[in-house]
Amino acid sequence: MTFVERMEEMSRIDEEAFDSFSDILFHSVSLNRQYKNHSSLIKKEELVGELISFLNKYLALKVTASTRDKAQILTLIHKLTMQKELIEIQSGKLNIADIKAAAKRMGKKSQSAFGGK
């Protein structure tokens, strides 16, 4: 076995390992109602923001050509953005004007999702 073949074998990521990572990531960015302290909210907000950035970069690089995949990614970005706004509200980062603007955006998004005007 050559050096390159050994390196390929050692660095191979199997589907099970990636599924495990995906599960960890999901639980890291999922919102729950109770947080032990303010710093855990800040960390979660940062993780969600980085994931949004990653997904936007993924779309910008045009890695996927499937319209269905793009739609799923855009839906996930939208949901993550709303989660980030909720975290900001919970952590006290947003003032009343910011909360009203976020509520207005969420209202418009939900209307468009259900075909309302």
Side-chain angles (χ1 to χ4, degrees), residues 8-22:
E8 286 175 348
E9 181 66 31
M10 290 173 49
S11 65
R12 183 169 290 124
I13 301 170
D14 62 6
E15 192 170 342
E16 184 179 321
F18 204 83
D19 286 345
S20 177
F21 169 74
S22 177

Side-chain angles (χ1 to χ4, degrees), residues 34-49:
Q34 296 179 349
Y35 297 97
K36 294 183 180 182
N37 55 43
H38 185 73
S39 69
S40 56
L41 272 175
I42 301 303
K43 290 175 186 176
K44 189 169 289 272
E45 179 188 355
E46 186 175 344
L47 280 173
V48 170

Side-chain angles (χ1 to χ4, degrees), residues 46-107:
E46 186 175 344
L47 280 173
V48 170
E50 292 297 327
L51 185 54
I52 291 168
S53 295
F54 169 76
L55 292 171
N56 281 319
K57 183 71 170 185
Y58 184 86
L59 287 174
L61 292 173
K62 299 177 183 175
V63 175
T64 183
S66 164
T67 303
R68 182 175 172 266
D69 288 350
K70 289 177 186 176
Q72 287 179 326
I73 292 169
L74 287 171
T75 298
L76 181 58
I77 290 170
H78 169 68
K79 289 180 179 185
L80 288 169
T81 301
M82 287 194 310
Q83 279 192 355
K84 190 169 187 277
E85 290 174 347
L86 287 171
I87 292 169
E88 289 171 347
I89 291 168
Q90 289 176 338
S91 67
K93 277 187 154 182
L94 297 179
N95 60 34
I96 296 299
D98 293 332
I99 293 170
K100 286 180 181 177
K104 189 174 182 178
R105 276 195 311 276
M106 287 181 191

